[in-house]
Amino acid sequence: MVKESNAYLLGGGIGSLAAAAFMIRDGRLPSGNIFILEAKPLLGGSMDGTGNPGETVEPETVEPETVEPETVEPETVEPETVEPETVEPETVEPETVEPETVEPETVEPETVEPETVEPETVEPETVPSETVEPETVEPETVPSESISVIIPTPAKKRNEGN
């Protein structure tokens, strides 16, 4: 597949030259299948490194190599004739099955006597009582000058007739 591929690179700058080198080395593309298209007469783009500013250098004229395409004749393949296989259908006789007669089973009801359960008597648990002495709390004495008492006064009733 690689030998049938062609690569066309636009411009003869360092990028196209590096791409061509990688296609040859890593891609195994034959160098004859790589085409670098440059409008100027000198390859190298801005990296040409020849001459002085304002000086024109005429490049050598190189005639491109002509590669003739290979002509491949198509192979003629004769179609294979296959005879259809004849299969005779198998005759299967239907199986006759006699219906099975099942007699219904008679079940007598079972008599169940109710079970008598005696109530369980539980004795209350006796817990010894403990005597707890109340703790005596002495009232705290507050100096009288630090106590302010605000007594609310009843609001005056309004006359409802006015």
PDB file of all heavy atoms in Angstrom, residues 103-109:
ATOM      1  N   GLU A 103     -58.527 -40.405  38.274  1.00  0.00           N
ATOM      2  CA  GLU A 103     -59.658 -40.424  39.191  1.00  0.00           C
ATOM      3  C   GLU A 103     -59.450 -39.344  40.240  1.00  0.00           C
ATOM      4  O   GLU A 103     -58.349 -39.193  40.759  1.00  0.00           O
ATOM      5  CB  GLU A 103     -59.754 -41.795  39.886  1.00  0.00           C
ATOM      6  CG  GLU A 103     -60.121 -42.936  38.959  1.00  0.00           C
ATOM      7  CD  GLU A 103     -61.519 -42.793  38.392  1.00  0.00           C
ATOM      8  OE1 GLU A 103     -62.426 -42.313  39.103  1.00  0.00           O
ATOM      9  OE2 GLU A 103     -61.685 -43.121  37.205  1.00  0.00           O
ATOM     10  N   PRO A 104     -60.500 -38.580  40.551  1.00  0.00           N
ATOM     11  CA  PRO A 104     -60.332 -37.544  41.573  1.00  0.00           C
ATOM     12  C   PRO A 104     -60.089 -38.178  42.941  1.00  0.00           C
ATOM     13  O   PRO A 104     -60.663 -39.208  43.275  1.00  0.00           O
ATOM     14  CB  PRO A 104     -61.639 -36.763  41.544  1.00  0.00           C
ATOM     15  CG  PRO A 104     -62.621 -37.648  40.861  1.00  0.00           C
ATOM     16  CD  PRO A 104     -61.850 -38.599  39.988  1.00  0.00           C
ATOM     17  N   GLU A 105     -59.261 -37.577  43.719  1.00  0.00           N
ATOM     18  CA  GLU A 105     -58.897 -38.074  45.039  1.00  0.00           C
ATOM     19  C   GLU A 105     -59.872 -37.497  46.067  1.00  0.00           C
ATOM     20  O   GLU A 105     -60.143 -36.303  46.060  1.00  0.00           O
ATOM     21  CB  GLU A 105     -57.470 -37.620  45.371  1.00  0.00           C
ATOM     22  CG  GLU A 105     -56.905 -38.258  46.596  1.00  0.00           C
ATOM     23  CD  GLU A 105     -55.473 -37.799  46.815  1.00  0.00           C
ATOM     24  OE1 GLU A 105     -54.716 -37.716  45.828  1.00  0.00           O
ATOM     25  OE2 GLU A 105     -55.143 -37.523  47.976  1.00  0.00           O
ATOM     26  N   THR A 106     -60.398 -38.360  46.908  1.00  0.00           N
ATOM     27  CA  THR A 106     -61.332 -37.910  47.941  1.00  0.00           C
ATOM     28  C   THR A 106     -60.537 -37.667  49.215  1.00  0.00           C
ATOM     29  O   THR A 106     -59.814 -38.538  49.672  1.00  0.00           O
ATOM     30  CB  THR A 106     -62.418 -38.964  48.205  1.00  0.00           C
ATOM     31  OG1 THR A 106     -63.016 -39.308  46.958  1.00  0.00           O
ATOM     32  CG2 THR A 106     -63.456 -38.450  49.172  1.00  0.00           C
ATOM     33  N   VAL A 107     -60.699 -36.487  49.779  1.00  0.00           N
ATOM     34  CA  VAL A 107     -59.974 -36.135  50.987  1.00  0.00           C
ATOM     35  C   VAL A 107     -60.999 -35.913  52.088  1.00  0.00           C
ATOM     36  O   VAL A 107     -61.936 -35.139  51.936  1.00  0.00           O
ATOM     37  CB  VAL A 107     -59.140 -34.844  50.774  1.00  0.00           C
ATOM     38  CG1 VAL A 107     -58.423 -34.456  52.046  1.00  0.00           C
ATOM     39  CG2 VAL A 107     -58.191 -35.022  49.626  1.00  0.00           C
ATOM     40  N   GLU A 108     -60.809 -36.642  53.184  1.00  0.00           N
ATOM     41  CA  GLU A 108     -61.698 -36.491  54.334  1.00  0.00           C
ATOM     42  C   GLU A 108     -61.228 -35.302  55.159  1.00  0.00           C
ATOM     43  O   GLU A 108     -60.038 -35.142  55.397  1.00  0.00           O
ATOM     44  CB  GLU A 108     -61.665 -37.764  55.200  1.00  0.00           C
ATOM     45  CG  GLU A 108     -62.269 -38.992  54.529  1.00  0.00           C
ATOM     46  CD  GLU A 108     -63.751 -38.846  54.286  1.00  0.00           C
ATOM     47  OE1 GLU A 108     -64.458 -38.229  55.128  1.00  0.00           O
ATOM     48  OE2 GLU A 108     -64.215 -39.315  53.229  1.00  0.00           O
ATOM     49  N   PRO A 109     -62.170 -34.467  55.609  1.00  0.00           N
ATOM     50  CA  PRO A 109     -61.756 -33.331  56.434  1.00  0.00           C
ATOM     51  C   PRO A 109     -61.200 -33.807  57.777  1.00  0.00           C
ATOM     52  O   PRO A 109     -61.690 -34.757  58.362  1.00  0.00           O
ATOM     53  CB  PRO A 109     -63.028 -32.509  56.622  1.00  0.00           C
ATOM     54  CG  PRO A 109     -64.152 -33.427  56.299  1.00  0.00           C
ATOM     55  CD  PRO A 109     -63.624 -34.497  55.386  1.00  0.00           C
TER      56      PRO A 109
END
